[in-house]
Coordinates of all heavy atoms in Angstrom, one line a residue:
M8 N -6.0 0.5 8.2 CA -5.6 1.3 7.1 C -5.2 0.4 5.9 O -4.5 -0.6 6.1 CB -4.4 2.2 7.5 CG -3.7 2.8 6.3 SD -2.3 3.8 6.7 CE -3.2 5.3 7.0
L9 N -5.7 0.7 4.8 CA -5.4 0.0 3.6 C -4.5 0.7 2.7 O -4.7 1.9 2.3 CB -6.7 -0.3 2.8 CG -6.6 -1.0 1.5 CD1 -6.0 -2.4 1.7 CD2 -7.9 -1.1 0.8
L10 N -3.3 0.2 2.4 CA -2.4 0.7 1.4 C -2.4 -0.1 0.1 O -2.1 -1.2 0.1 CB -0.9 0.7 2.0 CG -0.7 1.7 3.1 CD1 0.7 1.4 3.7 CD2 -0.9 3.1 2.8
T11 N -2.9 0.5 -0.9 CA -3.0 -0.1 -2.2 C -2.0 0.4 -3.2 O -2.0 1.6 -3.4 CB -4.4 0.0 -2.8 OG1 -5.3 -0.4 -1.8 CG2 -4.5 -0.8 -4.1
L12 N -1.0 -0.4 -3.7 CA -0.1 0.1 -4.6 C -0.4 -0.6 -6.0 O -0.8 -1.7 -6.1 CB 1.4 -0.3 -4.2 CG 1.8 0.2 -2.8 CD1 3.2 -0.4 -2.5 CD2 1.8 1.7 -2.8
K13 N -0.2 0.2 -7.0 CA -0.5 -0.3 -8.4 C 0.5 -1.4 -8.7 O 1.7 -1.3 -8.4 CB -0.3 0.8 -9.4 CG -1.4 1.9 -9.2 CD -1.2 2.9 -10.3 CE -2.3 4.0 -10.2 NZ -2.1 5.0 -11.2
D14 N 0.0 -2.5 -9.4 CA 0.8 -3.6 -9.8 C 1.7 -3.2 -11.0 O 2.6 -3.9 -11.4 CB 0.0 -4.8 -10.1 CG -0.6 -5.4 -8.8 OD1 0.0 -5.2 -7.8 OD2 -1.7 -6.0 -8.9
D15 N 1.3 -2.2 -11.7 CA 2.0 -1.9 -12.9 C 3.2 -0.9 -12.8 O 3.6 -0.3 -13.7 CB 1.0 -1.3 -13.9 CG 0.4 0.0 -13.5 OD1 0.5 0.3 -12.3 OD2 -0.3 0.7 -14.2
W16 N 3.7 -0.8 -11.6 CA 4.9 0.0 -11.4 C 6.1 -0.6 -12.2 O 6.1 -1.8 -12.4 CB 5.3 0.1 -9.9 CG 4.5 1.1 -9.2 CD1 3.3 1.7 -9.6 CD2 4.8 1.6 -7.9 NE1 2.9 2.5 -8.6 CE2 3.7 2.5 -7.5 CE3 5.8 1.4 -7.0 CZ2 3.7 3.2 -6.4 CZ3 5.8 2.1 -5.8 CH2 4.7 3.0 -5.5
D17 N 7.1 0.2 -12.5 CA 8.2 -0.3 -13.3 C 9.1 -1.2 -12.4 O 9.9 -2.0 -13.0 CB 9.1 0.9 -13.8 CG 8.3 1.7 -14.8 OD1 7.4 1.2 -15.4 OD2 8.7 2.9 -15.0
H18 N 9.1 -1.1 -11.1 CA 9.9 -1.9 -10.2 C 9.1 -2.7 -9.3 O 8.0 -2.3 -8.9 CB 10.9 -0.9 -9.4 CG 11.7 -0.1 -10.3 ND1 12.8 -0.5 -10.9 CD2 11.6 1.2 -10.6 CE1 13.4 0.5 -11.6 NE2 12.6 1.5 -11.5
P19 N 9.6 -3.8 -8.9 CA 8.9 -4.6 -7.9 C 8.8 -3.9 -6.6 O 9.7 -3.1 -6.2 CB 9.7 -5.9 -7.8 CG 11.0 -5.6 -8.3 CD 10.8 -4.5 -9.3
Q20 N 7.7 -4.2 -5.9 CA 7.6 -3.5 -4.6 C 8.6 -4.1 -3.6 O 8.6 -5.3 -3.3 CB 6.1 -3.7 -4.1 CG 5.1 -3.2 -5.0 CD 3.7 -3.6 -4.6 OE1 3.5 -4.3 -3.7 NE2 2.7 -3.2 -5.4
H21 N 9.5 -3.2 -3.1 CA 10.5 -3.7 -2.2 C 10.6 -2.8 -1.0 O 11.7 -2.7 -0.4 CB 11.8 -3.7 -2.9 CG 12.3 -2.4 -3.4 ND1 11.8 -1.9 -4.6 CD2 13.1 -1.5 -2.9 CE1 12.4 -0.7 -4.8 NE2 13.1 -0.4 -3.8
Y22 N 9.6 -2.2 -0.6 CA 9.6 -1.3 0.6 C 9.8 -2.0 1.9 O 10.1 -1.3 2.9 CB 8.4 -0.3 0.6 CG 7.1 -1.0 0.6 CD1 6.5 -1.4 1.8 CD2 6.4 -1.4 -0.5 CE1 5.3 -2.1 1.8 CE2 5.2 -2.0 -0.5 CZ 4.7 -2.4 0.7 OH 3.5 -3.0 0.7
M23 N 9.6 -3.3 1.9 CA 9.8 -4.0 3.2 C 11.2 -4.5 3.4 O 11.6 -4.9 4.5 CB 8.8 -5.2 3.3 CG 7.4 -4.7 3.4 SD 7.1 -3.7 4.9 CE 7.4 -4.8 6.2
R24 N 12.1 -4.4 2.4 CA 13.5 -4.8 2.6 C 14.2 -3.8 3.4 O 14.0 -2.6 3.3 CB 14.1 -5.0 1.2 CG 13.7 -6.2 0.5 CD 14.6 -6.4 -0.7 NE 14.2 -5.4 -1.8 CZ 14.8 -5.3 -2.9 NH1 15.8 -6.1 -3.2 NH2 14.4 -4.5 -3.8
S25 N 15.1 -4.3 4.2 CA 15.9 -3.4 5.0 C 17.3 -3.1 4.5 O 18.2 -2.8 5.2 CB 16.0 -4.0 6.4 OG 16.6 -5.2 6.4
E26 N 17.5 -3.2 3.2 CA 18.8 -3.0 2.6 C 19.1 -1.5 2.6 O 18.2 -0.7 2.6 CB 18.8 -3.5 1.2 CG 18.6 -5.0 1.0 CD 18.5 -5.4 -0.4 OE1 18.6 -4.6 -1.3 OE2 18.3 -6.6 -0.6
G27 N 20.4 -1.3 2.6 CA 20.8 0.1 2.4 C 20.6 0.9 3.7 O 20.4 0.4 4.7
H28 N 20.8 2.2 3.5 CA 20.6 3.1 4.6 C 19.9 4.4 4.2 O 19.8 4.6 3.0 CB 22.0 3.5 5.2 CG 22.8 4.3 4.2 ND1 23.6 3.6 3.3 CD2 23.1 5.6 4.1 CE1 24.2 4.5 2.6 NE2 23.9 5.7 3.0
F29 N 19.3 5.1 5.1 CA 18.6 6.3 4.8 C 19.1 7.4 5.7 O 19.0 7.2 6.9 CB 17.1 6.0 5.0 CG 16.2 7.1 4.6 CD1 15.8 7.2 3.2 CD2 15.8 8.1 5.4 CE1 15.0 8.3 2.8 CE2 14.9 9.1 5.1 CZ 14.6 9.2 3.7
V30 N 19.5 8.5 5.2 CA 20.1 9.6 6.0 C 19.4 10.8 5.6 O 19.1 11.2 4.4 CB 21.6 9.7 5.7 CG1 22.2 10.8 6.5 CG2 22.3 8.4 6.0
G31 N 19.0 11.6 6.6 CA 18.4 12.9 6.4 C 17.0 12.9 6.0 O 16.3 11.9 6.2
R32 N 16.5 14.0 5.6 CA 15.1 14.2 5.1 C 14.1 13.8 6.2 O 13.0 13.4 6.0 CB 14.8 13.3 3.9 CG 15.8 13.5 2.8 CD 15.2 14.4 1.7 NE 16.1 14.5 0.6 CZ 16.0 15.4 -0.3 NH1 15.0 16.3 -0.3 NH2 16.9 15.5 -1.3
R33 N 14.5 14.1 7.5 CA 13.6 13.7 8.6 C 12.3 14.5 8.5 O 11.2 13.9 8.7 CB 14.3 14.1 9.9 CG 13.5 13.8 11.2 CD 13.1 12.4 11.4 NE 14.3 11.5 11.3 CZ 14.2 10.2 11.0 NH1 13.0 9.7 10.9 NH2 15.3 9.5 11.0
R34 N 12.3 15.8 8.2 CA 11.1 16.6 8.1 C 10.2 16.1 7.0 O 9.0 15.9 7.2 CB 11.5 18.1 7.9 CG 10.3 19.0 8.0 CD 10.7 20.4 7.8 NE 11.2 20.5 6.4 CZ 11.8 21.6 6.0 NH1 11.9 22.7 6.7 NH2 12.3 21.7 4.8
E35 N 10.7 15.8 5.9 CA 9.9 15.3 4.8 C 9.4 13.9 5.1 O 8.2 13.6 4.8 CB 10.8 15.2 3.5 CG 11.2 16.6 2.9 CD 12.5 17.1 3.5 OE1 13.0 16.5 4.5 OE2 13.0 18.1 3.0
L36 N 10.2 13.1 5.7 CA 9.7 11.7 6.1 C 8.6 11.8 7.1 O 7.5 11.1 6.9 CB 10.9 10.9 6.7 CG 10.6 9.5 7.1 CD1 10.1 8.7 6.0 CD2 11.8 8.9 7.8
D37 N 8.7 12.6 8.1 CA 7.7 12.8 9.1 C 6.4 13.4 8.5 O 5.3 12.9 8.8 CB 8.1 13.7 10.2 CG 9.2 13.1 11.1 OD1 9.4 11.9 11.1 OD2 9.9 13.9 11.8
F38 N 6.5 14.3 7.5 CA 5.4 14.8 6.8 C 4.6 13.7 6.0 O 3.4 13.6 6.1 CB 5.8 15.9 5.8 CG 4.7 16.5 5.0 CD1 3.8 17.4 5.5 CD2 4.5 16.1 3.7 CE1 2.8 17.9 4.7 CE2 3.5 16.5 2.9 CZ 2.6 17.5 3.4
L39 N 5.3 12.9 5.3 CA 4.7 11.8 4.5 C 4.0 10.8 5.5 O 2.9 10.4 5.2 CB 5.7 11.1 3.7 CG 6.1 11.8 2.4 CD1 7.2 11.0 1.7 CD2 4.9 11.9 1.5
V40 N 4.7 10.4 6.5 CA 4.1 9.4 7.4 C 2.9 10.0 8.1 O 1.8 9.3 8.2 CB 5.2 9.0 8.5 CG1 4.5 8.2 9.6 CG2 6.3 8.2 7.8
D41 N 2.9 11.2 8.5 CA 1.8 11.9 9.2 C 0.6 11.9 8.2 O -0.5 11.6 8.6 CB 2.2 13.3 9.6 CG 1.1 14.0 10.3 OD1 0.6 13.4 11.3 OD2 0.7 15.1 9.9
N42 N 0.8 12.3 6.9 CA -0.2 12.4 6.0 C -0.8 11.0 5.7 O -2.0 10.9 5.6 CB 0.3 13.0 4.7 CG 0.1 14.5 4.7 OD1 -1.0 15.0 4.5 ND2 1.2 15.2 5.0
M43 N 0.0 10.0 5.6 CA -0.5 8.6 5.3 C -1.3 8.1 6.5 O -2.3 7.4 6.3 CB 0.7 7.7 5.1 CG 1.3 7.9 3.8 SD 2.7 6.7 3.6 CE 3.5 7.4 2.2
L44 N -1.0 8.5 7.7 CA -1.7 8.0 8.9 C -3.0 8.8 9.2 O -3.9 8.2 9.6 CB -0.8 8.0 10.1 CG 0.4 7.0 10.1 CD1 1.3 7.3 11.3 CD2 -0.1 5.6 10.2
R45 N -3.0 10.0 8.9 CA -4.1 10.9 9.2 C -5.2 11.0 8.2 O -6.4 11.0 8.5 CB -3.7 12.3 9.6 CG -3.0 12.4 10.9 CD -2.7 13.9 11.3 NE -2.1 14.7 10.3 CZ -2.7 15.7 9.7 NH1 -3.9 16.0 10.0 NH2 -2.1 16.4 8.8
K46 N -4.8 11.1 6.9 CA -5.8 11.3 5.9 C -6.3 10.0 5.3 O -5.6 9.1 5.1 CB -5.1 12.2 4.8 CG -4.8 13.5 5.3 CD -4.3 14.4 4.2 CE -4.0 15.8 4.7 NZ -3.5 16.7 3.7
K47 N -7.6 10.1 5.0 CA -8.3 8.9 4.4 C -8.1 8.9 2.9 O -8.3 7.9 2.2 CB -9.8 8.9 4.7 CG -10.0 8.8 6.2 CD -9.7 7.5 6.7 CE -10.0 7.4 8.2 NZ -9.2 6.4 8.9
S48 N -7.9 10.1 2.3 CA -7.8 10.2 0.8 C -6.9 11.4 0.5 O -6.6 12.2 1.4 CB -9.1 10.3 0.1 OG -9.7 11.5 0.5
G49 N -6.6 11.5 -0.8 CA -5.8 12.6 -1.2 C -4.4 12.1 -1.8 O -4.2 11.0 -1.9
S50 N -3.6 13.1 -2.1 CA -2.3 12.7 -2.6 C -1.2 13.8 -2.2 O -1.6 14.9 -1.8 CB -2.4 12.7 -4.2 OG -2.8 13.9 -4.7
V51 N 0.0 13.3 -2.3 CA 1.1 14.2 -2.0 C 2.1 14.0 -3.2 O 2.4 12.9 -3.6 CB 1.8 13.8 -0.7 CG1 3.1 14.6 -0.5 CG2 0.9 13.9 0.5
L52 N 2.5 15.1 -3.8 CA 3.5 15.1 -4.9 C 4.9 15.1 -4.3 O 5.3 16.0 -3.6 CB 3.3 16.3 -5.8 CG 4.3 16.5 -6.9 CD1 4.2 15.3 -7.9 CD2 4.1 17.8 -7.6
V53 N 5.7 14.1 -4.7 CA 7.1 14.1 -4.3 C 7.9 14.3 -5.6 O 7.8 13.5 -6.5 CB 7.5 12.7 -3.7 CG1 9.0 12.7 -3.3 CG2 6.7 12.5 -2.4
S54 N 8.5 15.4 -5.7 CA 9.2 15.7 -7.0 C 10.7 16.1 -6.7 O 11.0 16.5 -5.6 CB 8.5 16.9 -7.7 OG 8.6 18.1 -7.0
G55 N 11.5 16.1 -7.7 CA 12.9 16.4 -7.6 C 13.7 15.8 -8.8 O 13.1 15.1 -9.6
N56 N 14.9 16.2 -8.8 CA 15.8 15.6 -9.9 C 16.0 14.1 -9.7 O 15.8 13.6 -8.6 CB 17.2 16.3 -9.8 CG 17.0 17.8 -10.2 OD1 16.2 18.2 -11.0 ND2 17.9 18.6 -9.6
R57 N 16.4 13.5 -10.8 CA 16.7 12.1 -10.7 C 17.9 11.8 -9.8 O 18.8 12.5 -9.7 CB 17.1 11.6 -12.1 CG 15.9 11.6 -13.1 CD 16.3 10.9 -14.4 NE 17.4 11.7 -15.0 CZ 18.0 11.2 -16.1 NH1 17.8 10.1 -16.6 NH2 19.0 12.0 -16.6
G58 N 17.7 10.7 -9.0 CA 18.8 10.3 -8.2 C 18.9 10.9 -6.8 O 19.9 10.7 -6.1
V59 N 17.9 11.7 -6.4 CA 18.0 12.4 -5.1 C 17.4 11.7 -4.0 O 17.4 12.1 -2.9 CB 17.4 13.9 -5.2 CG1 18.2 14.7 -6.2 CG2 16.0 13.9 -5.6
G60 N 16.7 10.5 -4.3 CA 16.1 9.7 -3.2 C 14.6 9.8 -3.0 O 14.2 9.5 -1.9
K61 N 13.9 10.2 -4.1 CA 12.5 10.3 -3.9 C 11.8 9.0 -3.6 O 11.0 8.8 -2.7 CB 11.9 10.9 -5.2 CG 12.3 12.3 -5.5 CD 11.7 12.8 -6.9 CE 12.1 11.9 -8.0 NZ 13.5 12.0 -8.4
T62 N 12.2 8.0 -4.4 CA 11.6 6.6 -4.2 C 12.1 6.1 -2.8 O 11.2 5.5 -2.1 CB 12.1 5.7 -5.3 OG1 11.7 6.3 -6.6 CG2 11.5 4.3 -5.2
A63 N 13.3 6.3 -2.4 CA 13.8 5.8 -1.1 C 13.0 6.5 0.0 O 12.6 5.8 1.0 CB 15.2 6.1 -1.0
L64 N 12.7 7.7 -0.2 CA 11.9 8.5 0.8 C 10.5 7.9 1.0 O 10.0 7.6 2.1 CB 11.8 10.0 0.5 CG 10.9 10.8 1.3 CD1 11.5 11.0 2.7 CD2 10.8 12.2 0.7
V65 N 9.8 7.7 -0.2 CA 8.5 7.1 -0.1 C 8.5 5.7 0.4 O 7.6 5.4 1.3 CB 7.9 7.2 -1.5 CG1 6.5 6.4 -1.6 CG2 7.7 8.6 -2.0
Y66 N 9.4 4.9 0.0 CA 9.5 3.5 0.6 C 9.8 3.5 2.1 O 9.2 2.7 2.8 CB 10.5 2.7 -0.2 CG 10.0 2.2 -1.5 CD1 10.9 1.9 -2.5 CD2 8.7 1.9 -1.8 CE1 10.5 1.4 -3.7 CE2 8.3 1.5 -3.0 CZ 9.2 1.2 -4.0 OH 8.8 0.8 -5.2
R67 N 10.6 4.4 2.5 CA 10.9 4.5 4.0 C 9.6 4.9 4.7 O 9.3 4.4 5.8 CB 12.0 5.5 4.2 CG 12.4 5.6 5.7 CD 12.8 4.3 6.4 NE 13.9 3.7 5.7 CZ 15.1 3.5 6.3 NH1 15.3 3.8 7.5 NH2 16.0 2.9 5.6
A68 N 8.9 5.9 4.2 CA 7.6 6.3 4.8 C 6.6 5.1 4.8 O 6.0 4.9 5.9 CB 7.0 7.5 4.0
L69 N 6.5 4.3 3.8 CA 5.6 3.2 3.8 C 6.0 2.2 4.8 O 5.2 1.7 5.5 CB 5.6 2.5 2.4 CG 4.9 3.2 1.3 CD1 5.2 2.6 -0.1 CD2 3.4 3.2 1.6
R70 N 7.3 1.9 5.0 CA 7.8 1.0 6.0 C 7.4 1.5 7.4 O 7.0 0.8 8.3 CB 9.3 0.8 6.0 CG 9.7 -0.3 5.0 CD 11.1 -0.5 5.0 NE 11.7 -0.9 6.3 CZ 13.0 -0.7 6.6 NH1 13.8 -0.3 5.8 NH2 13.4 -1.1 7.8
K71 N 7.6 2.8 7.7 CA 7.2 3.4 9.0 C 5.7 3.3 9.2 O 5.3 3.0 10.4 CB 7.7 4.8 9.1 CG 9.2 5.0 9.2 CD 9.6 6.4 9.6 CE 9.3 6.6 11.0 NZ 10.0 7.7 11.6
V72 N 4.9 3.5 8.2 CA 3.5 3.4 8.4 C 3.1 2.0 8.7 O 2.3 1.7 9.6 CB 2.7 3.9 7.1 CG1 1.3 3.5 7.1 CG2 2.9 5.4 7.0
I73 N 3.6 1.0 8.0 CA 3.3 -0.4 8.2 C 3.7 -0.8 9.6 O 3.0 -1.6 10.2 CB 3.9 -1.3 7.1 CG1 3.2 -1.0 5.8 CG2 3.9 -2.7 7.4 CD1 3.8 -1.6 4.6
E74 N 4.9 -0.3 10.1 CA 5.4 -0.7 11.4 C 4.5 0.0 12.5 O 4.4 -0.6 13.6 CB 6.8 -0.2 11.6 CG 7.8 -1.0 10.7 CD 9.2 -0.4 10.7 OE1 9.4 0.7 11.3 OE2 10.1 -1.0 10.1
T75 N 3.9 1.1 12.2 CA 3.1 1.8 13.1 C 1.7 1.3 13.3 O 1.1 1.2 14.4 CB 3.0 3.3 12.7 OG1 4.3 3.9 12.6 CG2 2.2 4.1 13.7
V76 N 1.1 0.9 12.1 CA -0.3 0.4 12.2 C -0.3 -1.1 12.6 O 0.4 -1.9 12.0 CB -0.9 0.5 10.7 CG1 -2.3 -0.1 10.7 CG2 -1.0 2.0 10.3
P77 N -1.2 -1.4 13.6 CA -1.2 -2.8 14.1 C -1.9 -3.7 13.1 O -2.6 -3.4 12.3 CB -2.1 -2.7 15.4 CG -2.8 -1.4 15.3 CD -2.0 -0.5 14.4

């Protein structure tokens, strides 16, 4: 599986760091991981108010996918 992230994001890619903690959103996390592992293309919209953990959710899903794929 190839995960390509744009280099022009506002923040450096830090999804591999294990800083902080992640609580809850198990259903949403499982949904994202499942979609990343099963689908070859497409997109998922993650939306919500500022500061609710959207980026943390996506980075946690990326970490789980990378740990799952050999």
Side-chain angles (χ1 to χ4, degrees):
M8 166 179 275
L9 175 65
L10 292 175
T11 305
L12 302 177
K13 294 182 179 180
D14 291 331
D15 61 348
W16 280 16
D17 293 340
H18 301 284
Q20 299 170 3
H21 61 277
Y22 55 88
M23 289 305 292
R24 286 191 284 178
S25 60
E26 297 176 2
H28 63 278
F29 187 84
V30 178
R32 308 259 184 194
R33 177 64 50 203
R34 186 177 64 186
E35 293 87 350
L36 180 61
D37 290 343
F38 175 80
L39 282 176
V40 171
D41 183 55
N42 271 283
M43 289 180 192
L44 291 173
R45 286 188 311 112
K46 295 187 177 181
K47 300 291 183 205
S48 65
S50 60
V51 174
L52 173 66
V53 179
S54 67
N56 294 328
R57 290 188 295 172
V59 298
K61 297 178 300 292
T62 303
L64 175 69
V65 172
Y66 282 153
R67 181 57 59 119
L69 285 170
R70 272 183 58 201
K71 286 189 76 156
V72 167
I73 289 169
E74 291 169 359
T75 303
V76 176

